[in-house]
Amino acid sequence: MDLPSSTRPVTRLVSGRETRDGAGVRLVRYIGTPDLDRFDPFLLLDEFRSDDPDDYIRGFPPHPHRGSETVTYLLHGRMRHRDSMGRAGLLRAGGVQWMTAGRGVEHSEMPEQEQGLLHGFQLWVNLPAAQKMVPPRYQEFPPDAIPEESRPDGGRVRVIAGTTPAGTRGPVTGIAAEPLYLDVTLPSAARFRFPLPRDHRAFVLVVAGTVADAGGRRAGARRLALLGPGREVRLDAVDPARFLLVAGRPFGEPVVRQGPFVMNTEEEIRQALADYRSGRFRAP
Ligand code: CO
């Protein structure tokens, strides 16, 4: 029996804040602001979407990360990734890079284009204390490596991480937060249902159109909808809609954060700064 209480309600709508980061990249930040500091296990969510090169051309020059994972998913454009260990990759529209920074990465993320639309997302996912100092790991997939389910209603579901009820598995694996990361496109009036572990945190970032939860609460484009607990996500497309559905297991650990360092204690932050200054993020 499908009890109404088993579906996850929209508990909060977040508009995001216009800001700039890196060397001046214009973006909207939904998670990691005074309005929404974090949504365990998610630490940051940015959307960059502009066809004005001045908004993105300076990119994200070399900067460090420790203690978390960064997930870059592109809808339009190209970005070049390069780290201080000599690893490099090109991220194309429809592709994803899931970087487990672990004990430390210093990298740059630069647009590989001088004009045209650049549109994508960066999500930071926390690592539990026991995995904050693991060796860095990259999972990078081109667009054709991301499986897509076609729905009977004409909608489609791209599966970046997690597994659907039909058995489609995203290519990103072995992540502590046991994440689900879907890119969902629905025609008007379609109903999307997806089971989730009850205690996992879930949000929907609406890219286009409008969706409504089982209680009729609507979330329009460029809104982050936080979902409450429940066994199932149920969303209706009020009009043709596209959204990211992301979920993960919360860690419930203390978070001490300084810029790109995300640890559990102040002492670990001091150590991260000391290690970075002494060049340990560059050592093999
Ligand atoms: Co970075």
Side-chain angles (χ1 to χ4, degrees), residues 7 16 30 51 54 65-66 75 93 99 109 123 128 130 144 149 152 176 179 225 261 269:
T7 65
Y30 293 95
D51 56 11
D54 282 344
H65 292 274
R66 173 179 279 183
L75 297 187
M99 180 182 83
E109 301 157 279
L123 173 72
D144 59 9
E149 275 183 9
F261 304 127
I269 291 292

Side-chain angles (χ1 to χ4, degrees), residues 20-60:
R20 288 185 187 261
D21 204 346
V25 177
R26 187 176 168 194
L27 50 83
V28 175
R29 180 156 292 162
Y30 293 95
I31 300 175
T33 72
D35 303 325
L36 182 60
D37 177 47
R38 58 193 161 96
F39 187 57
D40 189 7
F42 307 109
L43 301 160
L44 177 140
L45 177 64
D46 286 344
E47 178 176 14
F48 41 92
R49 166 157 46 178
S50 178
D51 56 11
D52 179 353
D54 282 344
D55 286 340
Y56 60 72
I57 202 73
R58 290 175 298 278
F60 301 87

Side-chain angles (χ1 to χ4, degrees), residues 97-206:
Q97 183 203 59
W98 197 297
M99 180 182 83
T100 305
R103 66 187 174 215
V105 162
E106 185 183 30
H107 73 162
S108 62
E109 301 157 279
M110 303 297 288
E112 183 99 340
Q113 63 191 53
E114 291 175 353
Q115 56 184 5
L117 176 63
L118 182 69
H119 185 192
F121 310 91
Q122 187 163 96
L123 173 72
W124 290 14
V125 185
N126 207 358
L127 285 166
Q131 292 188 35
K132 284 198 179 287
M133 296 297 278
V134 296
R137 176 187 180 205
Y138 291 91
Q139 299 189 65
E140 235 168 62
F141 298 99
D144 59 9
I146 297 178
E148 185 174 305
E149 275 183 9
S150 295
R151 293 165 46 95
D153 60 19
R156 62 196 180 89
V157 180
R158 304 191 82 225
V159 186
I160 294 156
T163 303
T164 71
T168 306
R169 299 175 74 89
V172 174
T173 56
I175 303 297
E178 302 162 36
L180 176 77
Y181 194 131
L182 304 179
D183 173 2
V184 181
T185 303
L186 299 177
S188 189
R191 173 163 291 176
F192 174 83
R193 303 178 66 167
F194 202 95
L196 277 181
R198 188 180 179 82
D199 57 335
H200 282 204
R201 292 277 173 79
F203 66 77
V204 170
L205 181 64
V206 183

Side-chain angles (χ1 to χ4, degrees), residues 10 210-219 234 236 238:
V10 172
T210 305
V211 296
D213 72 6
R217 189 169 185 190
R218 293 184 173 198
R234 196 188 106 179
D236 291 318
V238 176

